[in-house]
Amino acid sequence: SDVCSSDLDVMKLEQGVGEEVYVSNVELPDYVHEGDNFQVKVTIQSNVDTEALVSLYSGRTLKGQSTVNLTKGTNQFVFQDVGERNGTQDYRVMVEPVNDTVSLNNEYCAFTQVESAPRVLLVEGEPGEGDQLAGILTACGVEYDQITPTGVPAEMSELVQYKAVVMVNVHAY
C-alpha cells in the first residue's frame, strides 16, 4: 500500500511594529435629552511619545479640536457637547499624530440617541389650583401641560408621552 507523506515547511515572517497610534474607544451616553450637556470620552493607544491633533466631529460639524501630547500606553481625553435635536447624533473622532505607521485606525465612530425633553402632566382640580406648582416647574425648566381632570387623556398611549403625572386637589380615581 502507498503511504502519502508530505513535508510541511513553516517560515515565520518577521514584521517590525513601527510607531503606532490609534483610537481604541469613544464613550457616549446611550441617550440624552435635547439641551443636555454631556461628555464624549476618547481613548487613544500609543506605543510612542508623540504630539497629535485630536478632532471630534458630529456629522460634518467640528465640535472640538485639541493638540495633545500622547504618551506610551493609554491616553484619555474628554470633549463636551450638547444634545441637539431628536434622533441619532453621530460622532467621529480623528487622531492625527506626528509619528504613526498605519493611518487606517486613526478614526472611530460612535453615536447617541437624543430624545425630546421630558414633559409632565399637571392635573388641577379647578383651573388655577396648580399655578403655584406650574411656576416651580417653569423655574426648573421642566416642560408641562396643565389641564383639569376632564382633559386627561383616556388612552394609555397618550399618557406615556409624559414622564410624570402630578395631581393638585384631584382624586386618584
Side-chain angles (χ1 to χ4, degrees), residues 2-161:
D2 291 333
V3 175
C4 294
S5 66
S6 63
D7 292 331
L8 177 64
D9 294 327
V10 177
M11 180 188 297
K12 184 177 180 184
L13 298 175
E14 296 291 332
Q15 181 176 0
V17 176
E19 296 175 332
E20 187 54 35
V21 174
Y22 65 95
V23 182
S24 62
N25 195 25
V26 175
E27 288 181 57
L28 291 162
D30 291 334
Y31 70 91
V32 296
H33 292 118
E34 290 177 356
D36 281 358
N37 292 301
F38 62 94
Q39 294 182 336
V40 180
K41 297 177 185 175
V42 177
T43 304
I44 298 173
Q45 301 292 336
S46 181
N47 69 359
V48 63
D49 294 340
T50 185
E51 187 176 276
L53 179 66
V54 181
S55 305
L56 172 70
Y57 291 88
S58 179
R60 294 183 180 183
T61 304
L62 179 63
K63 291 290 189 168
Q65 192 170 62
S66 185
T67 300
V68 298
N69 291 310
L70 299 175
T71 58
K72 290 181 183 178
T74 302
N75 298 264
Q76 293 189 317
F77 307 96
V78 177
F79 290 94
Q80 299 288 331
D81 201 20
V82 177
E84 291 180 356
R85 59 186 172 277
N86 201 19
T88 302
Q89 201 158 311
D90 298 309
Y91 288 90
R92 180 171 48 98
V93 172
M94 291 180 59
V95 59
E96 300 170 75
V98 172
N99 302 318
D100 193 23
T101 305
V102 180
S103 61
L104 293 176
N105 54 13
N106 291 8
E107 290 189 23
Y108 196 107
C109 296
F111 68 92
T112 187
Q113 190 68 31
V114 181
E115 298 180 352
S116 299
R119 294 185 73 83
V120 170
L121 181 61
L122 176 57
V123 184
E124 54 189 358
E126 295 293 331
E129 286 185 312
D131 288 351
Q132 191 171 11
L133 185 55
I136 293 170
L137 293 174
T138 299
C140 293
V142 176
E143 295 186 26
Y144 63 92
D145 291 330
Q146 186 172 353
I147 59 173
T148 59
T150 57
V152 174
E155 299 296 322
M156 185 59 77
S157 60
E158 295 177 56
L159 275 175
V160 295
Q161 68 178 310

